[in-house]
Amino acid sequence: MARKFHLVLGIALSLLYLFLLSHLHRILPGLELLPSPLPVPVADSPGFGWLVAFGLPIFAIACFVAPDRLMRWFSPRIPPDEDYLLTPGFWYLVGYVALIVGSGVLLLFRTSP
């Protein structure tokens, strides 16, 4: 039951995210004042802010849609049974935290300064 709920939540969030990207100038007008829309993976550049602002919601969606895959890729295994340490519940929690932080960062740009 929780798996279906989080899958539907991830799909709904991805549709909402696509709507946000297609109407960015109306929803978040403060982002139009930034010099470059291309993310550059350097912590001192404006591109890092773009990566954080737009990457956290994508990461949250991935945590809701594919927690089993994230568990297999990133979780250490505990001997002797070789069970996964980080279960899907952990990835759901990480998804909620990433969604809250990502939404908070994006909400900073609701109005233009």
Side-chain angles (χ1 to χ4, degrees):
M1 183 68 173
R3 172 78 178 126
K4 275 188 179 179
F5 170 75
H6 287 100
L7 180 63
V8 170
L9 178 65
I11 292 170
L13 285 173
S14 64
L15 293 174
L16 182 67
Y17 187 71
L18 288 174
F19 178 78
L20 172 88
L21 289 178
S22 65
H23 295 88
L24 190 62
H25 63 281
R26 276 189 261 151
I27 298 173
L28 300 172
L31 282 175
E32 291 181 18
L33 299 175
L34 294 179
S36 172
L38 299 175
V40 179
V42 178
D44 295 335
S45 70
F48 183 74
W50 280 89
L51 185 65
V52 169
F54 291 111
L56 281 176
I58 292 173
F59 180 67
I61 291 168
C63 287
F64 293 138
V65 171
D68 295 329
R69 184 166 296 195
L70 293 172
M71 176 184 73
R72 287 191 302 269
W73 284 350
F74 300 116
S75 179
R77 306 214 44 193
I78 302 171
D81 296 332
E82 297 298 320
D83 289 334
Y84 291 102
L85 180 63
L86 306 176
T87 62
F90 171 80
W91 293 107
Y92 291 142
L93 179 66
V94 169
Y96 282 116
V97 170
L99 182 64
I100 290 169
V101 172
S103 298
V105 168
L106 286 175
L107 286 176
L108 291 173
F109 299 102
R110 280 184 308 192
T111 58
S112 58

